[in-house]
Amino acid sequence: MYKFKKDGKILALIASPRKNGNSEILLKEAVKKFKKSSIKIVRTSSLNISHCQSCGFCEKKGFCKINDDFQKISLLLAKSDIVVVASPVYFYGLPSHFKSLIDRAQSFWAKKYILKKTDSTIRPVYTILVGGSRGEKLFLGSRLTLKYFYDVFNLENSGELLVRGADKKGDVKKCPNYMRQARRLIH
């Protein structure tokens, strides 16, 4: 099991464009037991990240040639001791701006699997997904996408909180069980 260092860094990604929405509420509940100085919270919708151009440059060089906020966020993803991802689920998938970040991680996939250059340190990642629907397969697409995104950054899924039926802003606060599960998510 991964042992969090006293001076460790936590990267908390909020994939929702809605400020103080359900996924953000749960994320903040999950990290509040840690020192604020160890937590970096990033709202992915505020990042300037272009779409992957599928140009193949990363397969030769091991990095993406597009210069935008992806370089900063990917460095944080690669260097954080713990990563927490909180996202709403839209039409059984992840929000488009967050998906752009994921697609740009192709450069890390190329570096790891084509160029065979990677850090072998495995770090934990915790996932919070919130959907308004109660569908049986609500999280299937998002979980598969995140599985492979986590892989290229050597992140091991260490816990999930999957919430159905929370559509309106603040719905998760009406269910103390969700808040309790969020507090216990990171171990």
Side-chain angles (χ1 to χ4, degrees), residues 3-186:
K3 178 92 169 110
F4 184 64
K5 298 178 285 192
K6 188 176 182 181
D7 62 343
K9 297 295 179 195
I10 299 170
L11 174 62
L13 295 177
I14 301 170
S16 177
R18 179 165 57 179
K19 291 187 185 215
N20 300 311
N22 292 311
S23 52
E24 183 172 345
I25 290 167
L26 292 171
L27 179 136
K28 287 181 175 177
E29 193 69 21
V31 300
K32 79 179 194 181
K33 65 183 169 189
F34 298 97
K35 291 189 303 184
K36 287 186 180 184
S37 61
S38 67
I39 304 164
K40 173 82 172 162
I41 297 177
V42 176
R43 181 178 309 282
T44 61
S45 64
S46 69
L47 300 173
N48 176 26
I49 297 180
S50 296
H51 303 289
C52 175
Q53 302 300 311
S54 194
C55 65
F57 181 86
C58 63
E59 294 175 7
K60 296 174 187 77
K61 300 291 185 178
F63 61 92
C64 183
K65 71 177 184 176
I66 301 170
N67 188 17
D68 58 15
D69 288 340
F70 178 73
Q71 286 74 19
K72 288 183 261 182
I73 195 68
S74 63
L75 183 61
L76 289 171
L77 276 161
K79 299 296 181 188
S80 295
D81 297 296
I82 293 176
V83 176
V84 185
V85 172
S87 179
V89 175
Y90 297 160
F91 293 94
Y92 285 59
L94 299 166
S96 61
H97 57 275
F98 184 49
K99 185 63 168 67
S100 290
L101 186 157
I102 291 169
D103 291 347
R104 288 285 297 287
Q106 176 68 18
S107 57
F108 280 78
W109 180 89
K111 184 177 177 181
K112 183 174 183 176
Y113 290 107
I114 294 175
L115 301 175
K116 308 290 187 199
K117 297 177 185 174
T118 188
D119 177 4
S120 61
T121 305
I122 304 294
R123 297 160 296 120
V125 62
Y126 298 88
T127 306
I128 299 168
L129 296 174
V130 181
S133 166
R134 296 191 183 277
E136 182 182 325
K137 297 181 181 181
L138 176 61
F139 304 112
L140 184 62
S142 299
R143 290 173 79 203
L144 280 171
T145 300
L146 289 170
K147 175 184 175 180
Y148 295 105
F149 173 63
Y150 295 160
D151 174 70
V152 299
F153 288 102
N154 293 325
L155 296 169
E156 180 177 68
N157 191 354
S158 299
E160 293 180 318
L161 175 53
L162 307 175
V163 177
R164 289 178 169 80
D167 197 29
K168 292 185 176 82
K169 192 173 185 175
D171 274 354
V172 295
K173 289 182 178 179
K174 297 173 189 172
C175 184
N177 190 41
Y178 292 144
M179 302 300 279
R180 188 170 33 260
Q181 288 177 51
R183 282 191 297 276
R184 294 178 181 163
L185 180 64
I186 304 171

